[in-house]
C-alpha cells in the first residue's frame, strides 16, 4: 500500500515542532497506525532529508530493539534503526548538554567503526566482521520527542529510533583483540549499579545486529560506508539520565565510558 504523503508530512511536522520548541508531543501513531513500519520509516527519511538540507552530516546509524524483551513489549520480531548525525557525538564535550534533550535515558553499547563499505556482496558474517576497523565502548543517550515515552514501533521509528546523542570511549580494539558476544557490561548512575548485561543480550551477538543493519540499510538505498559509526544496540536495560546525573559503564575488554549530564536545561 502506498504511503500517503500528506500523512507523512503531518507526522514529520509534529516531530519537527517538538524539536524546535523543546517540548514533547503526542504520539504519531494516530496518523500512521501503530505497526505501519513503512510509513514510519518514510517519516524518518523525511526528517533526515530536512536535516541534511540544513547542513547536517550523517555519521552512521544506531540499532534499536535488539532485546527480545523489548521486542515482545512492542509486538515486533526485528530491530529498528535510526540515523546518527555528526552533531550527536558529544564525546569531546565536558558535559552532555541536557538542554538538547527532552527525556534522556542512557544505554551502554558497543560501537563499531567501519573500515570498509558494506554495500555489495552477500553481507554474510565473514564480510561484516572483516569490514569493522575497530570497536569502542559507547553510551547511547536515547531520547523521545513523544510525551512520557508513550511509544509503539511506529512512534519510535518515525522519531529516528528515539535517538538523541552519544559518547564514545577512547580505547579502540580490533575484532582480533576481543569477541563482542563475550563482553559483559555494568552501568552505574552516580556510582549506583543500575544496569547489567552482556553481548549475548544484543541479538545473540552485536555482530548479528551489525549484519542485520548492513542488509537493511542497503535495502533502503543507503548502505553503510567506511568511516561510519554503528551503535549496535543496548547490552542491558536503559536507565533515566536526568540533568546532573553521571553515567559510567564498564564493558569488559573495551573498558569504561562516562557521561556527566549538565545540571540544568537552558530556559
Amino acid at each position: 500500500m502506498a504511503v500517503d504523503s500528506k500523512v507523512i508530512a503531518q507526522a514529520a511536522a509534529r516531530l519537527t515542532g517538538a524539536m524546535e520548541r523543546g517540548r514533547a508531543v503526542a504520539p504519531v501513531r494516530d496518523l500512521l497506525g501503530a505497526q505501519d513500519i513503512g510509513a514510519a520509516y518514510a517519516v524518518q527519511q523525511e526528517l533526515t532529508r530536512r536535516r541534511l538540507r540544513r547542513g547536517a552530516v550523517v555519521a552512521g546509524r544506531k540499532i534499536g530493539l535488539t532485546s527480545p524483551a523489548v521486542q515482545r513489549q512492542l509486538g515486533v520480531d526485528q530491530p529498528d534503526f535510526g540515523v546518527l548525525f555528526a552533531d550527536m557525538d558529544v564525546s569531546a564535550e565536558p558535559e552532555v548538554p541536557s538542554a538538547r534533550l527532552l527525556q534522556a535515558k542512557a544505554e551502554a553499547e558497543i560501537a563499531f567503526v567501519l573500515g570498509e563499505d558494506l554495500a555489495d556482496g552477500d553481507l554474510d558474517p565473514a564480510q561484516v566482521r572483516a569490514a569493522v576497523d575497530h570497536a569502542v565502548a559507547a553510551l547511547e543517550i536515547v531520547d523521545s520527542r513523544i510525551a512520557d515515552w508513550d511509544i509503539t514501533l511506529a512512534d519510535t521509528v518515525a522519531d529516528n529510533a528515539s535517538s538523541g546523542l552519544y559518547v564514545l570511549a577512547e580505547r579502540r580494539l580490533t575484532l582480533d583483540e576481543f569477541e563482542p558476544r563475550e563482553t559483559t557490561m555494568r552501568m552505574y548512575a552516580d556510582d549506583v549499579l543500575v544496569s547489567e548485561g552482556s553481548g549475548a543480550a544484543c541479538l545473540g551477538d552485536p555482530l548479528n545486529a551489525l549484519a542485520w543493519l548492513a542488509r537493511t540499510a542497503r535495502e533502503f538505498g543507503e548502505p553503510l560506508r567506511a568511516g561510519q559509526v554503528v551503535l549496535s544496540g543496548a547490552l542491558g536495560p536503559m536507565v533515566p539520565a536526568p540533568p546532573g546525573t553521571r553515567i559510567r559503564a564498564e564493558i569488559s575488554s573495551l573498558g569504561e565510558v562516562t557521561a556527566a549530564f549538565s545540571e540544568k536545561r537552558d530556559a
Side-chain angles (χ1 to χ4, degrees), residues 62-68 71 77-81 110 112 114 118 122-130 132 175 178-183 198-217 224 230-235:
K62 61 150 288 182
I63 310 171
L65 301 180
T66 54
S67 161
Q71 289 183 5
D77 59 0
Q78 62 178 315
D80 69 349
F81 74 90
I110 295 173
F112 296 113
L114 300 181
L118 285 171
D122 294 334
L123 301 181
D124 59 18
Q127 181 184 358
V128 169
R129 187 182 188 95
V132 175
L175 296 184
F178 87 114
E179 196 60 54
R181 70 173 176 271
E182 295 175 359
T183 59
S198 68
C202 180
L203 287 187
D205 185 336
L207 287 171
N208 291 340
L210 177 58
W212 173 85
L213 176 64
R215 294 188 294 269
T216 305
L224 300 178
V230 175
L231 298 179
S232 60
L235 302 177

Side-chain angles (χ1 to χ4, degrees), residues 88-145:
M88 292 180 176
D89 182 357
V90 294
S91 307
E93 299 292 329
E95 293 183 317
V96 173
S98 296
R100 293 180 56 185
L101 301 162
L102 299 179
Q103 306 173 95
K105 298 185 179 186
E107 297 178 341
E109 309 190 7
I110 295 173
F112 296 113
V113 180
L114 300 181
E116 300 175 11
D117 292 352
L118 285 171
D120 302 310
D122 294 334
L123 301 181
D124 59 18
Q127 181 184 358
V128 169
R129 187 182 188 95
V132 175
D133 182 78
H134 64 271
V136 300
L139 289 174
E140 182 186 358
I141 302 151
V142 293
D143 198 12
S144 181
R145 273 55 63 177

Side-chain angles (χ1 to χ4, degrees), residues 226-259:
Q228 290 187 336
V229 176
V230 175
L231 298 179
S232 60
L235 302 177
M238 64 182 178
V239 299
T245 305
R246 183 177 183 272
I247 298 290
R248 174 173 58 89
E250 301 169 348
I251 300 177
S252 60
S253 299
L254 290 171
E256 286 191 356
V257 57
T258 62

Side-chain angles (χ1 to χ4, degrees), residues 1-11 31-32 36-46 49 220:
M1 182 180 295
V3 178
D4 188 329
S5 60
K6 291 183 179 178
V7 169
I8 300 308
Q10 287 178 312
L31 300 170
L32 305 177
D36 192 335
I37 300 175
Y41 275 117
V43 175
Q44 183 186 124
Q45 290 173 321
E46 172 59 23
R49 284 191 291 269
F220 276 82

Side-chain angles (χ1 to χ4, degrees), residues 134-222:
H134 64 271
V136 300
L139 289 174
E140 182 186 358
I141 302 151
V142 293
D143 198 12
S144 181
R145 273 55 63 177
I146 305 300
D148 301 319
W149 278 90
D150 178 16
I151 59 173
T152 62
L153 178 63
D155 297 304
T156 187
V157 168
D159 189 24
N160 199 24
S162 302
S163 63
L165 307 171
Y166 63 95
V167 176
L168 304 180
E170 293 185 359
R171 187 182 190 198
R172 301 178 175 187
L173 292 182
T174 69
L175 296 184
D176 291 330
E177 296 174 299
F178 87 114
E179 196 60 54
R181 70 173 176 271
E182 295 175 359
T183 59
T184 57
M185 180 278 293
R186 288 190 170 193
M187 185 163 62
Y188 301 83
D190 298 326
D191 295 322
V192 176
L193 180 65
V194 291
S195 180
E196 294 183 86
S198 68
C202 180
L203 287 187
D205 185 336
L207 287 171
N208 291 340
L210 177 58
W212 173 85
L213 176 64
R215 294 188 294 269
T216 305
R218 185 171 67 178
E219 290 172 4
F220 276 82
E222 294 290 342

